[in-house]
């Protein structure tokens, strides 16, 4: 009986460790303009205004809105410099 319990515990730990490794290895992709529209376009006008933004996009909105019309177009979004990714510390 002890061997069965021990084996089951080892299997559970192995599965948990394996799942944790798989989750860490998948790099997160930056969102597309279409995904941002779905998530952030609160008034559903098909445009992204500064008031609808959050995070780095809101902080750098003036730099990204090159035509200064108060909205972030698809072209402006695609031409925007991509933020540098920080290296994660691995154990």
């Amino acid at each position: 009986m002890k061997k069965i319990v021990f084996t089951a515990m080892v299997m559970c730990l192995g599965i948990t460790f394996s799942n944790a490794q798989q989750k860490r290895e998948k790099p997160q992709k930056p969102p597309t303009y279409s995904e941002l529209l779905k998530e952030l376009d609160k008034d559903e006008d098909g445009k992204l205004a500064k008031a609808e933004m959050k995070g780095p996009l809101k902080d750098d909105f003036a730099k990204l809105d090159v035509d200064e019309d108060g909205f972030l177009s698809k072209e402006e979004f695609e031409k925007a410099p991509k933020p540098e990714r920080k290296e994660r510390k691995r154990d």
Side-chain angles (χ1 to χ4, degrees), residues 38-61:
K38 288 178 187 174
E39 182 181 340
L40 301 175
D41 187 18
K42 303 295 183 208
D43 59 6
E44 298 179 356
D45 64 353
K47 299 177 183 179
L48 293 173
K50 182 177 181 177
E52 297 171 319
M53 296 294 182
K54 59 184 178 181
L57 288 174
K58 186 171 191 163
D59 297 340
D60 295 333
F61 190 84

Side-chain angles (χ1 to χ4, degrees), residues 2 7 11 14 26 31 34 36 48 51-52 58 68 70 78 81 85 88:
K2 289 181 182 179
T7 303
M11 288 176 61
K26 294 180 183 177
S34 298
L36 284 177
L48 293 173
E52 297 171 319
K58 186 171 191 163
E68 299 177 353
E78 290 173 352
R85 292 189 163 250
R88 288 191 206 182

Side-chain angles (χ1 to χ4, degrees), residues 8 13 31 38 42-43 53 67 72-73 87:
L13 287 173
K38 288 178 187 174
K42 303 295 183 208
D43 59 6
M53 296 294 182
D67 62 4
L72 185 63
S73 69
E87 288 289 325

Side-chain angles (χ1 to χ4, degrees), residues 5-84:
V5 172
F6 179 74
T7 303
M9 287 176 51
V10 170
M11 288 176 61
C12 287
L13 287 173
I15 291 169
T16 302
F17 180 75
S18 176
N19 287 340
Q21 289 294 329
Q22 289 176 357
K23 287 180 185 177
R24 254 192 267 166
E25 291 174 5
K26 294 180 183 177
Q28 185 179 5
K29 294 180 186 177
T32 64
Y33 187 77
S34 298
E35 291 170 340
L36 284 177
L37 272 177
K38 288 178 187 174
E39 182 181 340
L40 301 175
D41 187 18
K42 303 295 183 208
D43 59 6
E44 298 179 356
D45 64 353
K47 299 177 183 179
L48 293 173
K50 182 177 181 177
E52 297 171 319
M53 296 294 182
K54 59 184 178 181
L57 288 174
K58 186 171 191 163
D59 297 340
D60 295 333
F61 190 84
K63 295 177 193 172
L64 302 175
D65 182 22
V66 293
D67 62 4
E68 299 177 353
D69 66 349
F71 299 99
L72 185 63
S73 69
K74 182 177 181 178
E75 291 78 23
E76 290 169 327
F77 175 76
E78 290 173 352
K79 290 181 182 178
K82 305 301 180 232
E84 292 182 24

